Amino acid sequence: MKKQNTRANVVIKKGQEFPITIKRLGINGEGVGYFKRTVVFVPGALPGEEVVVEATTIKPKYAEAKIKKIRKKSPHRVNPPCPIYEKCGGCQLQHLEYSQQLKEKRDILIQALERHTKLKIEKMDIRPTIGMDDPWLYRNKSQFQVGEIKGNIIAGLYSMNSHKLIDIPNCIVQHPATNKAVRVVKEILNDLNIPVYNERKRTGIIRTIVARVAVGTGEVQVVLITAKKELPKKALIVAEIQKRLPEVKSIIQNINGKKTSLIFGDESLQLGGEQSIQEVLGDISFELSSRAFFQLNPTQTVKLYDEVKKAAQLTGVEKVVDAYCGVGTIGLWLADQAGEIRGMDVIKEGIEDAEKNAKKHGINNVHYEVGKAEVIMPKWIKAGWKPDVIIVDPPRSGCDDALLDTIMKTDAKKIVYVSCNPSTLAKDLNVLTKKYKVEYMQPVDMFPQTAHVECVSQIVLK
């Protein structure tokens, strides 16, 4: 006899109102609950809350809804201090007290493991999230889109799921130096009547203002992303930035004429000051050029890299691979405890910075190459150089399949996986755990007030 499907096929209609209890937070910081077995995502709702919602989007497997009324509030709900929090969408968790954010982030990691792996999670060592003492004003880089309202230049982020630009004169998760730099550059562009880019009409020049501060030295870099190479009143812009913002040590123009959501184009020109700024972490200083990747929260970066050091357990003789090495930060952090470090990255400027950083500190046991880890590592192995420890710090998309294959063939004793996306970490662990065992996972909060969570995993050969 055919088993009858008892699942109720409830159709939620757009605009329908219904009560729901929130069970957990989703990966984007939204509340997750169930209405007649259909999963419902509710931005702004918190675990444990009973809310009345209105359905806004209906998909085959889930629905999205907005809060109409909170019947039972979470004891961890707080008033978000940012005046444009609801509009902006840059942060997702300002309405949740910080100590609880840390618990929820550990849970987001566990959810990803439940969804994407068959690991016995209850037997795993998943540690409490390492947080910040002061979870505000921490971001060392802002990338604000530029627009115009009533003849005035604005700069900020696009509102959640829309193309409406929200002006952000003072972001409370950004370092004050980046807020100031963007504000003053906006004034200068206004004063000099520099045309801003209009995406619809494909007219104007300035697309984005990027400001980065080296927190250890106070040096600031300003990058103007332009739609064309010709920048009107270029010399005047540079002179005004240098006059009004003496802390700016590097002024760069980057040209991006493509219709794309990517911020940076391929061509950069040095307009004023130095090519890069100097950052200091612990005892090591780093050259940061405009396109080189560097962690956005220096205070937590020290904690993160110390966790990498703990997980690597180096004794002074190991051959270490630093894949996706950027400006060499992780490798240089560990160099005094390793036999040799080899790093690679696809961004040429990052590798140039890594080499400069190593040379400046007299660190001689490092070697860097431009290219993909999955291409370079097999070449080294073929030449007889086999790593003992592999450190991967991939982008949000996770490790390339070819790199995972290469890692599996190396028989390295240990992998230290630094992840910024629990979902892709979980998927990559599916591959790695065929040959390796996850010893422990240490979540680290690099982005307070947002749903992002980083994690350092120690993975050892079975």
Side-chain angles (χ1 to χ4, degrees):
M1 192 175 135
K2 196 177 172 193
K3 194 176 176 191
Q4 202 177 354
N5 184 359
T6 54
R7 180 180 168 137
N9 190 14
V10 174
V11 179
I12 300 173
K13 293 184 173 64
K14 191 173 175 176
Q16 183 180 341
E17 290 190 14
F18 50 89
I20 193 169
T21 300
I22 303 301
K23 302 292 184 194
R24 60 175 199 270
L25 278 190
I27 55 167
N28 299 312
E30 70 282 69
V32 181
Y34 296 87
F35 180 65
K36 309 274 173 84
R37 294 193 181 179
T38 299
V39 67
V40 183
F41 296 107
V42 187
L46 295 174
E49 291 191 329
E50 292 169 13
V51 290
V52 177
V53 300
E54 180 190 319
T56 53
T57 307
I58 312 299
K59 299 281 183 190
K61 292 188 173 173
Y62 66 90
E64 291 170 6
K66 63 181 180 187
I67 299 173
K68 295 296 282 185
K69 185 181 171 193
I70 301 176
R71 282 182 178 167
K72 181 187 164 196
K73 248 186 203 182
S74 162
H76 306 294
R77 180 176 279 279
V78 293
N79 285 328
C82 173
I84 53 167
Y85 174 58
E86 308 282 335
K87 288 189 211 159
C88 163
C91 298
Q92 301 85 42
L93 298 178
Q94 282 193 23
H95 61 296
L96 179 60
E97 73 183 8
Y98 187 57
S99 59
Q100 194 62 24
Q101 287 183 30
L102 299 177
K103 290 176 186 165
E104 296 296 347
K105 289 189 182 200
R106 180 178 179 271
D107 187 60
I108 286 170
L109 177 63
I110 290 169
Q111 284 180 55
L113 295 170
E114 286 171 344
R115 194 175 300 119
H116 301 294
T117 75
K118 292 188 169 65
L119 296 170
K120 292 188 169 62
I121 295 155
E122 65 286 350
K123 292 188 174 167
M124 292 175 72
D125 180 3
I126 302 171
R127 299 174 177 181
T129 310
I130 295 171
M132 281 191 91
D133 297 334
D134 178 10
W136 303 99
L137 304 172
Y138 60 82
R139 281 183 72 107
N140 61 3
K141 184 182 185 183
S142 65
Q143 302 185 143
F144 282 175
Q145 309 305 317
V146 178
E148 208 170 359
I149 289 183
K150 294 176 185 163
N152 262 335
I153 293 176
I154 62 166
L157 300 172
Y158 289 112
S159 181
M160 285 284 273
N161 307 323
S162 89
H163 218 61
K164 184 173 187 285
L165 190 62
I166 305 291
D167 192 33
I168 306 176
N170 190 39
C171 174
I172 58 176
V173 296
Q174 281 290 347
H175 190 285
T178 64
N179 279 325
K180 181 186 170 193
V182 172
R183 220 166 33 239
V184 173
V185 170
K186 254 192 324 190
E187 286 166 15
I188 292 166
L189 298 175
N190 248 331
D191 293 350
L192 298 175
N193 287 319
I194 307 298
V196 302
Y197 183 67
N198 182 313
E199 205 175 13
R200 219 174 48 250
K201 298 178 185 165
R202 306 288 303 270
T203 57
I205 302 289
I206 308 283
R207 291 178 79 139
T208 311
I209 301 168
V210 180
R212 170 143 72 177
V213 60
V215 176
T217 61
E219 293 183 1
V220 175
Q221 180 178 62
V222 168
V223 185
L224 298 173
I225 314 273
T226 61
K228 300 187 193 100
K229 196 168 185 173
E230 296 70 41
L231 176 58
K233 304 180 186 170
K234 191 188 289 184
L236 260 177
I237 294 170
V238 172
E240 283 301 313
I241 292 175
Q242 288 172 334
K243 187 170 103 187
R244 299 189 207 183
L245 291 163
E247 63 273 28
V248 171
K249 302 293 181 224
S250 170
I251 305 167
I252 307 286
Q253 178 190 358
N254 175 271
I255 299 112
N256 184 359
K258 294 177 185 158
K259 202 173 175 23
T260 171
S261 59
L262 293 173
I263 304 275
F264 280 84
D266 295 329
E267 190 183 357
S268 293
L269 306 169
Q270 189 175 342
L271 299 185
E274 304 297 322
Q275 186 69 46
S276 54
I277 53 174
Q278 303 284 326
E279 178 59 290
V280 178
L281 284 186
D283 300 330
I284 305 174
S285 61
F286 298 95
E287 298 255 344
L288 303 182
S289 56
S290 58
R291 287 185 65 211
F293 170 78
F294 191 76
Q295 292 282 359
L296 293 168
N297 183 339
T299 308
Q300 289 300 87
T301 299
V302 171
K303 294 181 191 176
L304 182 77
Y305 290 172
D306 280 344
E307 287 304 319
V308 173
K309 198 176 242 187
K310 268 187 222 168
Q313 292 175 320
L314 301 176
T315 63
V317 295
E318 290 84 359
K319 296 186 181 103
V320 181
V321 165
D322 179 10
Y324 307 99
C325 70
V327 298
T329 38
I330 291 179
L332 297 176
W333 201 256
L334 306 181
D336 62 335
Q337 296 184 358
E340 186 186 358
I341 305 242
R342 291 193 178 189
M344 72 290 275
D345 201 286
V346 290
I347 292 181
K348 184 167 140 282
E349 295 95 323
I351 291 295
E352 286 167 1
D353 287 346
E355 285 168 343
K356 279 184 208 159
N357 293 331
K359 195 175 174 186
K360 188 168 59 186
H361 291 283
I363 297 171
N364 303 316
N365 61 339
V366 293
H367 166 83
Y368 294 107
E369 288 187 34
V370 178
K372 292 182 174 179
E374 58 272 17
V375 174
I376 290 172
M377 213 151 67
K379 190 180 81 181
W380 291 341
I381 291 161
K382 210 172 165 187
W385 191 90
K386 284 189 79 175
D388 303 299
V389 178
I390 297 171
I391 295 162
V392 291
D393 184 6
R396 288 192 62 74
S397 51
C399 291
D400 188 281
D401 290 344
L403 175 60
L404 291 173
D405 287 348
T406 304
I407 289 172
M408 295 291 274
K409 287 175 190 152
T410 62
D411 283 345
K413 295 189 211 57
K414 199 174 283 127
I415 300 161
V416 181
Y417 192 133
V418 186
S419 160
C420 61
N421 182 344
S423 299
T424 52
L425 166 64
K427 287 171 187 169
D428 289 351
L429 288 179
N430 261 341
V431 178
L432 295 170
T433 48
K434 288 172 190 159
K435 201 169 187 175
Y436 287 85
K437 174 180 182 281
V438 180
E439 277 294 312
Y440 71 84
M441 304 178 89
Q442 176 60 70
V444 180
D445 188 20
M446 299 294 285
F447 299 102
Q449 320 311 329
T450 78
H452 292 291
V453 56
E454 300 255 337
C455 181
V456 176
S457 302
Q458 188 195 61
I459 305 164
V460 297
L461 197 61
K462 283 180 185 172

